[in-house]
Amino acid sequence: MAAVNGTGNIMDPENSTKNTLKLENTEKRDTLISIEKRYQAKWQESGIFDGNAPTTAEIPYGSMTSAELHTSHPKFFGTFAYPYMNGTLHAGHVFTASKVEFTAGFARMEGRRVLFPLGFHCTGMPIKACADKLVDDVRKFGKNFERFEEEEVADGQDEVAPAPTQADTKEDITKFTSKKSKAASKSVKLKHQFQIMLALGTPREEIHKFADPMYWLKHFPPLAKRDLNNFGARIDWRRSMVTTDANPYYDAFVRWQMNRLKELNKIQYGVRYTVYSPKDGQPCMDHDRTEGEGVAPQDYTALKLKVQEWSPKAMDSIRDKIPTSAHVYFVPATLRPETMYGQTCCFVGPKIIYGIFKVSENEYYVCTKRAAWNMAFQGTFFKGDQFPRNISELPQVAEFPGSFVVGTLVTAPLSIHTQGVRILPMDSVLATKGTGVVTSVPSDSPDDYATVKDLAKKADYYGIQKEWAELEIPPIIETPSYGNLTAKFLVEKMKINSPKDAKQLAEAKDLAYKEGYYKGTMLMGEFQGQPVEAAKPKVKEALIKSGQAFEYAEPNGHVLSRSGDECTVAYLGQWFLNYGENDMEWRQRVLDYVAGDLESYTSETRNQFEKNLEWLNRWACARTYGLGSKLPWDPKFLVESLSDSTIYMAYYTIAHFLHSDIFGTKPGLFKISPDQMIDEIWDFIFCRRELSDELVSKSGIQKSDLESMRREFEYWYPLDMRVSGKDLIPNHLTFFLYIHLALFPREYWPKGVRANGHLLLNGEKMSKSTGNFLTLNDAVKKYGADASRIALADSGDGVEDANFEETVANSSILRLYTLKEWCEEVIKDKSLREGPADSFWDKIFQNEMSSVVHEARDHYSATDYKLALKSSFYDFTSARDFYREATIASGIGMHRDLILQYIELQALLLTPIAPHWADYIWQEVLNKPTTIQTALYPTLPPPNPSLSSAHTYVRTTTSSITSAEAAQQKKKDKGKLTTFDPKRPKKLTIFVATAYPAWQDKYIALVRDLFEKSSLENEKEISVSVGKMAGKAGGGSEMKKAMPFVQGLRRQLLSSSPREKSPREVLERQLAFDELAVLRAMVRGLKKTTGCKVIDVVSVEVVGGGGKGLVGTVVGGGGMEGEGREAGGRVDEIEGEKRESLPGTAEAAVPGSPSFYFENVEG
């Protein structure tokens, strides 16, 4: 027992979050969480998130088409990939879910009926594999593992856990990774499943229960539901289910799906290559793997190079182990059979261990044991129904290093060197790829050419005879770019001097292959004169037919099954979905839909779909081990996890009618038993056939119930948004499209797929081993639901990896709490102004609220939640802050009606992202009678461009003035000469131009002409035209100011921003607001901001011949209260005063961009 406790203590589950942000003062967070719990309880009690189609009582069945239903009663149906139930959800999982969650919240505010359901995926190997491991642990160590003795392992040998099966979106209890610090020399090895579960926080006395696979199905779904409810998810839980035959209704649904696909010839049986787990005795597809998702079989041509004469060392090694009459073959695996005419030798890795394996009484193969293990499942050593389970079963008769066979003479099929070629050493041969034997074609392989040249040059060093590496290199393929000796051309051109020039050789190899395959022409052999692309399969077929080669396949990457087995490729009979090139009409239909009507949200997602559809091929859809639904026509097989999860969204539409618990043990709204759900009933519900009296009688289901189920489907379908991680595009999401398009009428095909990137935590990959990990439960406990939701919205929206910043979540607690307190206090403030809300600042604030409301709507509609958050929270509170500061500085204070409007709008704008806070403000601060979850998005008039421009003008002008003052202070602090002392009493004069400088008129005309000719993109033409015009006006001095002026106009005219001016406004240069009036309104605020004793607003105009003189007129401002003019008195005493001696800065003023001048005055 001490050993077990030691394991638990060392691998404390809290270590997984040790490097995340630590919170100290949690009072504000706790206040917000208490509000959240209160509203979550209200929402769940009221069933506010239960979505229902219009009933047949509201709209009689058959009286409207699906499209008409959607027009009269708009809806939104969104889902994300149901989570796999071998662990609890973490932040990455809920990041994907949040995209549906936020969209559902906004859709409700648009007045649409919303359906956001969630089920629980249990199909496949992971649960069963872990349960079986626990059975073994309990048998070995006792019910509570009391007989376990701790195993110590040296540093660097601890258990390394594989990647998750469900797109890194959950805490997977089936695996654990551990990294030790340099200080730790020893650690407990987490070798057993019970140790992994201890490390993840499972109580020791509970672990034995998980030896029953069904216990996983009962344990984890309630935890997922708990965590999502605590997150405030708008999920309709009535429609939940577990997959597999644990739910007989869902099982009937999957069996119907498979039956119909088989009838459509979309499911077929055949013998084909597939990634295979020898230990599990079945194919190992993506979700059965802990490593190697996306890895597929790689097909090779394995040549048979017959031994004519062994090297002396090899002969000694095999003596008496092989009959003298036996035929022994080296079996190099090649991807380029068409080049075999040019073989000049065969390579082995001198340090690689090779074996000789018995194929038959008179035939033996030389290759690596790894390659032989792959061949064992491809009919080479064993029959298809007698596959081995252990590598020790291989019929190996001898073993030796590659160096022993160097010099062996072999016959190379198709080679012009009919007398034979030699086995030669090559250090870069990999034991982990192919057979470990590599045939050499130096005419077309840069690696081979560089190696044989090196071997010939250093024959003594390599222990070979020079002539073995100097056989004639025949030209076998003609290429337009590289001639007929492609490898020689590229090696010499790229100055490759050695086989160790790996980077250049890799580049040369790529160039050689593409040129030869796509543009090459055969120069010899049976298919001389034919394009290489056409000849390649013919050469392969001829070699195999003649018995000089055979097909060989292996995984194109490392694959580890959920049971810990290193996978091979097997050639076996199996049921498969006929995706890809074998059903071109089906594939083209999906491709056309992806390129056409499917909303993919980003071009990257669309491109990935198209790329994947081009290469995806047949997919094994059945297994013999794990959990799942049985194939109806071949019950020894189970439907695999990526094949029972393609159209379950349709099941959501009617699940609540069938059952009221996830296992289907309690009846739903209708009293229907699983056996009544025959295939024809599913056909009717999913609009594949019409209802008949015979079918009603056969099923025993009431006609009205059937019509109600069909109504739910035809209303909620098509699915509006499917959200998943981008790593599911190569499998699940593509299968999802394939099957929908095969089984459903066109009007029910999915409308949108939104793929997102992985979620980083604080800029780093989430990892329990590094302590940078956050479960959904941890996040909500730590930050509360709304702050967590805000951080998720802020994380990002594209297909690139997003980033959950804990500092954002933490700061959001303060923002929400502070804003809540302000709302509570300000609504009670009796000093708020009342009466007409018609001051300049009132109008600016009203207009800015309208602008943000419209902007936020656009971002929500586009599912750009980071931008929606910016508009609806950060920008909206900034607008309030601006209004508050401006009205206080102006001495008029905020208006009550506008503040109430702000609070109401703020609650509404945040409802999709922070619904708990919003509902609290709505009901408990504003005293609204119903929940904000039923409120509609605010409708405000569009923003007034004049007021928007004025608002921008106020911000930029204020910023320019304060920045100029700060710059002077900075210079003074450095001891530099300044024009005034910012810390002494000072006066600010703002110069406002009444007209644009006359020299600009001709450039306006030039730009107008270029714009009308659509020539503004041509910068060279612009530069030449401006140069000519400036030259006539006096040369370089005007050019210096003319070119920036023209470029500024050009940028405005080419801008696509909706907030920019129209071309007419740009060219006519008319301000959308009264500049003088705005400046007058700003003066009091500027006095407070800058601390100036006096501010004068001076209108500047050009006078005198040639337009050289400037005269100013005081048009506004504010001086020192109670003082005479001599001391800088009040502006009403001096308004209209003319000023002729103006500072140089006055000349810089142009309409819409004032200049200013600071000077010191007596205090």
Side-chain angles (χ1 to χ4, degrees):
M1 187 65 72
V4 176
N5 286 332
T7 300
N9 293 335
I10 292 172
M11 301 311 301
D12 187 337
E14 290 189 7
N15 285 336
S16 65
T17 60
K18 66 185 178 184
N19 290 330
T20 59
L21 189 67
K22 301 297 182 288
L23 303 188
E24 296 180 358
N25 189 337
T26 63
E27 182 182 353
K28 294 179 176 62
R29 177 204 67 183
D30 295 343
T31 299
L32 294 176
I33 288 178
S34 67
I35 291 172
E36 291 167 356
K37 294 298 182 187
R38 190 158 72 246
Y39 280 90
Q40 287 163 7
K42 287 184 178 183
W43 298 337
Q44 292 302 316
E45 183 181 351
S46 67
I48 192 70
F49 304 135
D50 294 349
N52 297 295
T55 66
T56 53
E58 295 174 78
I59 301 174
Y61 176 78
S63 64
M64 278 190 182
T65 65
S66 175
E68 290 169 340
L69 275 172
H70 297 155
T71 300
S72 61
H73 295 80
K75 60 89 182 180
F76 170 78
F77 179 21
T79 65
F80 72 102
Y82 49 19
Y84 197 77
M85 288 295 100
N86 61 344
T88 56
L89 311 182
H90 69 47
H93 196 173
V94 79
F95 172 66
T96 300
S98 71
K99 305 305 179 187
V100 186
E101 167 64 19
F102 298 153
T103 308
F106 180 65
R108 295 176 66 91
M109 300 188 77
E110 291 183 303
R112 292 192 272 172
R113 300 191 188 204
V114 171
L115 178 57
F116 176 18
L118 185 66
F120 307 104
H121 201 196
C122 308
T123 307
M125 285 182 55
I127 291 173
K128 184 71 166 64
C130 293
D132 287 351
K133 289 177 185 177
L134 282 174
V135 169
D136 191 50
D137 287 352
V138 171
R139 179 180 58 79
K140 287 180 181 177
F141 308 123
K143 180 177 178 180
N144 292 320
F145 317 103
E146 59 274 7
R147 296 195 300 273
F148 174 71
E149 295 295 330
E150 246 177 50
E151 303 170 28
E152 289 191 340
V153 298
D155 189 30
Q157 309 239 337
D158 46 326
E159 193 87 346
V160 178
T165 58
Q166 291 277 350
D168 270 344
T169 52
K170 64 189 174 301
E171 177 192 4
D172 188 345
I173 204 165
T174 64
K175 56 194 174 302
F176 188 85
T177 54
S178 173
K179 292 183 181 178
K180 295 183 291 296
S181 67
K182 292 182 179 179
S185 61
K186 299 211 172 180
S187 70
V188 174
K189 182 179 180 180
L190 300 187
K191 177 180 178 181
H192 304 285
Q193 183 65 37
F194 84 89
Q195 292 175 300
I196 296 172
M197 300 186 76
L198 270 176
L200 292 172
T202 310
R204 184 179 65 250
E205 60 275 10
E206 296 289 318
I207 293 176
H208 70 91
K209 297 177 182 178
F210 291 88
D212 176 7
M214 287 304 298
Y215 187 74
W216 298 68
L217 277 62
K218 295 173 182 176
H219 180 79
F220 287 112
L223 297 182
K225 181 177 179 179
R226 174 204 68 189
D227 294 347
L228 286 164
N229 279 340
N230 290 342
F231 180 70
R234 301 172 174 89
I235 293 173
D236 183 349
W237 291 111
R238 301 172 304 157
R239 300 170 187 261
S240 298
M241 75 291 180
V242 294
T243 65
T244 77
D245 53 8
N247 183 319
Y249 295 95
Y250 190 81
D251 185 56
F253 166 73
V254 172
R255 286 187 281 109
W256 161 80
Q257 171 189 337
M258 304 309 284
N259 278 332
R260 292 299 179 252
L261 288 170
K262 185 170 183 290
E263 290 169 7
L264 291 168
N265 206 32
K266 305 303 181 187
I267 294 179
Q268 300 177 2
Y269 186 84
V271 180
R272 60 187 291 271
Y273 290 110
T274 189
V275 177
Y276 182 85
S277 167
K279 181 178 179 180
D280 301 329
Q282 65 176 5
C284 184
M285 306 309 283
D286 278 359
H287 280 188
D288 303 327
R289 305 171 186 175
T290 54
E291 290 182 30
E293 186 168 348
V295 172
Q298 174 65 66
D299 296 333
Y300 291 90
T301 302
L303 289 166
K304 296 169 68 173
L305 277 61
K306 184 179 178 181
V307 175
Q308 296 183 37
E309 175 188 308
W310 287 103
S311 67
K313 284 187 178 180
M315 180 58 74
D316 291 341
S317 179
I318 67 170
R319 197 181 309 278
D320 301 327
K321 295 180 180 178
I322 298 173
T324 55
S325 61
H327 302 300
V328 182
Y329 299 91
F330 282 76
V331 284
T334 180
L335 296 171
R336 302 195 64 187
E338 76 281 5
T339 66
M340 294 302 99
Y341 301 100
Q343 295 177 83
T344 64
C345 64
C346 180
F347 295 129
V348 294
K351 297 179 182 179
I352 294 174
I353 301 301
Y354 294 88
I356 299 181
F357 301 90
K358 182 178 179 180
V359 180
S360 66
E361 290 301 325
N362 203 41
E363 189 168 338
Y364 295 79
Y365 290 166
V366 179
C367 61
T368 60
K369 183 176 284 189
R370 172 189 167 278
W373 187 231
N374 270 283
M375 293 178 192
F377 302 95
Q378 297 169 27
T380 303
F381 309 121
F382 302 91
K383 293 180 179 179
D385 57 348
Q386 297 175 352
F387 284 165
R389 287 298 181 97
N390 193 287
I391 199 169
S392 64
E393 298 177 50
L394 283 174
Q396 183 173 340
V397 299
E399 185 176 88
F400 43 75
S403 59
F404 277 30
V405 297
V406 170
T408 296
L409 183 67
V410 294
T411 302
L414 301 185
S415 173
I416 66 165
H417 300 293
T418 55
Q419 77 282 7
V421 300
R422 297 287 177 172
I423 303 294
L424 299 180
M426 187 182 197
D427 290 332
S428 59
V429 171
L430 298 174
T432 55
K433 188 172 184 180
T435 61
V437 182
V438 180
T439 190
S440 172
V441 184
S443 60
D444 288 79
S445 168
D447 290 278
D448 295 355
Y449 183 82
T451 300
V452 295
K453 289 300 178 184
D454 191 59
L455 289 169
K457 185 178 178 181
K458 305 175 185 176
D460 291 342
Y461 173 80
Y462 288 110
I464 66 170
Q465 295 181 30
K466 185 176 181 181
E467 59 268 25
W468 293 351
E470 290 187 326
L471 296 187
E472 178 192 353
I473 300 175
I476 58 173
I477 295 174
E478 181 71 45
T479 66
S481 301
Y482 311 134
N484 58 20
L485 289 174
T486 294
K488 180 177 186 295
F489 180 93
L490 288 169
V491 167
E492 292 175 353
K493 179 183 178 182
M494 299 175 70
K495 295 181 172 57
I496 297 171
N497 299 313
S498 163
K500 295 181 180 179
D501 295 338
K503 184 177 180 181
Q504 298 100 305
L505 282 169
E507 183 182 350
K509 178 181 178 180
D510 187 55
L511 292 171
Y513 180 80
K514 289 179 178 176
E515 178 79 8
Y517 182 73
Y518 293 108
K519 299 179 182 179
T521 302
M522 299 297 297
L523 293 178
M524 64 169 57
E526 183 181 351
F527 307 104
Q528 181 178 350
Q530 295 189 19
V532 169
E533 194 170 1
K536 178 176 179 174
K538 297 176 183 178
V539 175
K540 178 176 181 177
E541 182 182 3
L543 282 166
I544 294 173
K545 190 174 182 180
S546 67
Q548 295 177 296
F550 60 93
E551 288 190 286
Y552 167 74
E554 65 183 29
N556 62 6
H558 185 254
V559 179
L560 198 68
S561 77
R562 298 294 300 183
S563 59
D565 188 31
E566 185 169 350
C567 293
T568 64
V569 164
Y571 188 66
L572 75 167
Q574 57 188 289
W575 293 103
F576 57 84
L577 278 154
N578 199 30
Y579 300 135
E581 61 187 14
N582 296 289
D583 191 333
M584 293 297 291
E585 185 279 329
W586 193 14
R587 181 171 78 172
Q588 193 58 48
R589 194 189 324 163
V590 181
L591 273 168
D592 291 345
Y593 190 62
V594 168
D597 293 340
L598 181 71
E599 170 60 72
S600 58
Y601 295 90
T602 67
S603 59
E604 294 95 331
T605 298
R606 186 179 304 279
N607 293 339
Q608 185 61 37
F609 267 126
E610 291 173 345
K611 179 181 176 182
N612 190 58
L613 284 162
E614 290 294 342
W615 69 260
L616 179 68
N617 215 323
R618 292 169 171 172
W619 184 269
C621 62
R623 301 287 177 274
T624 56
Y625 175 81
L627 304 179
S629 296
K630 293 181 175 64
L631 273 184
W633 61 88
D634 198 350
K636 66 177 178 290
F637 287 104
L638 300 170
V639 181
E640 64 95 27
S641 62
L642 281 167
S643 298
D644 81 336
S645 57
T646 55
I647 58 168
Y648 63 88
M649 313 85 201
Y651 185 83
Y652 284 143
T653 63
I654 50 93
H656 60 306
F657 290 128
L658 303 178
H659 51 83
S660 58
D661 69 320
I662 61 174
F663 293 99
T665 59
K666 299 177 182 177
L669 296 177
F670 300 153
K671 309 304 180 185
I672 299 173
S673 64
D675 59 288
Q676 290 178 286
M677 296 302 294
I678 56 179
D679 285 355
E680 295 90 336
I681 291 298
W682 294 108
D683 285 336
F684 168 72
I685 292 171
F686 298 142
C687 301
R688 292 170 49 85
R689 62 163 291 167
E690 293 308 317
L691 194 59
S692 66
D693 292 340
E694 180 184 358
L695 180 56
V696 172
S697 176
K698 181 179 179 181
S699 68
I701 302 173
Q702 293 184 31
K703 182 178 180 180
S704 60
D705 291 348
L706 290 170
E707 290 175 345
S708 293
M709 288 193 286
R710 168 109 165 215
R711 165 59 57 78
E712 285 282 321
F713 172 77
E714 66 182 6
Y715 177 70
W716 290 117
Y717 251 59
L719 183 66
D720 295 285
M721 175 189 278
R722 175 66 171 174
V723 180
S724 291
K726 62 184 177 184
D727 52 324
L728 293 185
I729 294 175
N731 45 58
H732 163 69
L733 289 174
T734 302
F735 301 170
F736 157 81
L737 293 178
Y738 258 117
I739 304 303
H740 269 88
L741 270 61
L743 290 180
F744 296 111
R746 174 67 178 75
E747 61 186 303
Y748 300 114
W749 293 357
K751 293 178 70 175
V753 174
R754 193 185 194 285
N756 55 259
H758 300 297
L759 185 70
L760 304 177
L761 179 59
N762 303 320
E764 302 288 339
K765 183 178 180 181
M766 277 205 292
S767 168
K768 291 188 284 290
S769 64
T770 62
N772 191 53
F773 192 79
L774 204 62
T775 67
L776 172 56
N777 188 43
D778 289 339
V780 171
K781 284 183 176 179
K782 192 172 186 178
Y783 300 110
D786 283 341
S788 297
R789 293 166 70 106
I790 287 172
L792 286 167
D794 184 72
S795 296
D797 293 299
V799 295
E800 64 278 358
D801 288 348
N803 183 31
F804 183 100
E805 281 286 354
E806 288 191 275
T807 54
V808 172
N810 191 34
S811 64
S812 297
I813 294 172
L814 180 60
R815 279 179 177 272
L816 290 171
Y817 183 85
T818 303
L819 186 55
K820 175 189 81 72
E821 292 237 306
W822 182 85
C823 292
E824 292 168 341
E825 292 169 5
V826 76
I827 207 165
K828 302 171 186 174
D829 189 348
K830 303 297 184 183
S831 68
L832 291 176
R833 179 163 46 92
E834 297 183 345
D838 56 2
S839 76
F840 172 74
W841 302 114
D842 292 340
K843 293 174 183 177
I844 289 287
F845 185 41
Q846 281 181 308
N847 190 70
E848 191 61 13
M849 286 195 290
S850 179
S851 178
V852 173
V853 165
H854 283 272
E855 191 175 77
R857 177 189 282 274
D858 291 341
H859 294 320
Y860 276 126
S861 297
T863 71
D864 291 332
Y865 297 113
K866 186 179 180 74
L867 293 175
L869 174 68
K870 178 181 179 297
S871 296
S872 61
F873 195 20
Y874 306 138
D875 291 351
F876 206 62
T877 51
S878 292
R880 177 211 60 179
D881 294 342
F882 179 87
Y883 175 62
R884 178 174 57 187
E885 291 163 8
T887 53
I888 290 174
S890 300
I892 60 174
M894 298 184 293
H895 196 284
R896 176 174 297 280
D897 293 346
L898 294 186
I899 290 304
L900 288 174
Q901 183 185 19
Y902 162 78
I903 295 172
E904 180 172 320
L905 290 174
Q906 180 66 92
L908 290 167
L909 290 180
L910 276 181
T911 296
I913 295 175
H916 310 84
W917 185 94
D919 216 354
Y920 169 81
I921 296 297
W922 190 255
Q923 294 194 59
E924 299 187 42
V925 176
L926 296 174
N927 295 314
K928 301 286 185 178
T930 57
T931 174
I932 202 169
Q933 297 281 7
T934 59
L936 297 179
Y937 194 86
T939 301
L940 295 181
N944 183 317
S946 173
L947 289 170
S948 296
S949 297
H951 180 246
T952 302
Y953 177 86
V954 170
R955 283 187 175 276
T956 55
T957 301
T958 303
S959 176
S960 296
I961 290 171
T962 55
S963 295
E965 183 181 17
Q968 289 293 314
Q969 183 62 53
K970 193 173 182 180
K971 285 177 66 176
K972 189 172 187 301
D973 292 342
K974 291 182 178 180
K976 296 182 180 180
L977 185 65
T978 59
T979 57
F980 73 101
D981 184 349
K983 293 184 178 179
R984 287 180 53 211
K986 54 188 179 287
K987 170 184 175 182
L988 169 65
T989 303
I990 303 173
F991 298 105
V992 187
T994 57
Y996 291 95
W999 66 266
Q1000 294 181 355
D1001 292 343
K1002 56 181 176 290
Y1003 295 101
I1004 289 285
L1006 171 65
V1007 172
R1008 179 182 285 109
D1009 182 59
L1010 291 171
F1011 179 70
E1012 291 172 353
K1013 293 178 180 177
S1014 301
S1015 298
L1016 280 181
E1017 297 282 0
N1018 190 333
E1019 292 197 42
K1020 185 176 180 180
E1021 182 178 350
I1022 293 173
S1023 181
V1024 170
S1025 300
V1026 172
K1028 289 180 180 178
M1029 191 170 284
K1032 292 178 182 179
S1037 61
E1038 183 164 310
M1039 182 68 174
K1040 288 180 180 179
K1041 56 185 179 181
M1043 199 63 202
F1045 173 68
V1046 169
Q1047 290 290 7
L1049 293 172
R1050 175 178 175 270
R1051 278 193 297 271
Q1052 292 182 68
L1053 290 168
L1054 296 179
S1055 173
S1056 58
S1057 171
R1059 285 203 168 203
E1060 294 293 342
K1061 301 174 183 176
S1062 68
R1064 181 173 174 273
E1065 290 174 315
V1066 172
L1067 294 171
E1068 294 188 3
R1069 300 197 293 175
Q1070 293 179 346
L1071 292 181
F1073 57 92
D1074 184 338
E1075 185 175 12
L1076 290 175
V1078 171
L1079 282 169
R1080 288 190 185 102
M1082 291 174 62
V1083 166
R1084 291 191 70 175
L1086 284 171
K1087 282 191 67 181
K1088 183 174 182 180
T1089 302
T1090 63
C1092 287
K1093 294 290 185 179
V1094 181
I1095 294 180
D1096 285 348
V1097 180
V1098 177
S1099 174
V1100 177
E1101 59 182 330
V1102 179
V1103 296
K1108 297 293 185 181
L1110 290 177
V1111 173
T1113 304
V1114 178
V1115 294
M1120 294 177 286
E1121 297 286 348
E1123 298 181 356
R1125 175 69 196 99
E1126 296 77 11
R1130 295 181 58 80
V1131 73
D1132 52 8
E1133 301 173 15
I1134 62 168
E1135 192 158 328
E1137 177 183 291
K1138 298 289 184 181
R1139 297 185 180 175
E1140 296 185 357
S1141 298
L1142 301 179
T1145 56
E1147 188 179 355
V1150 294
S1153 181
S1155 60
F1156 35 86
Y1157 180 73
F1158 283 100
E1159 58 186 309
N1160 290 117
V1161 296
E1162 294 299 323

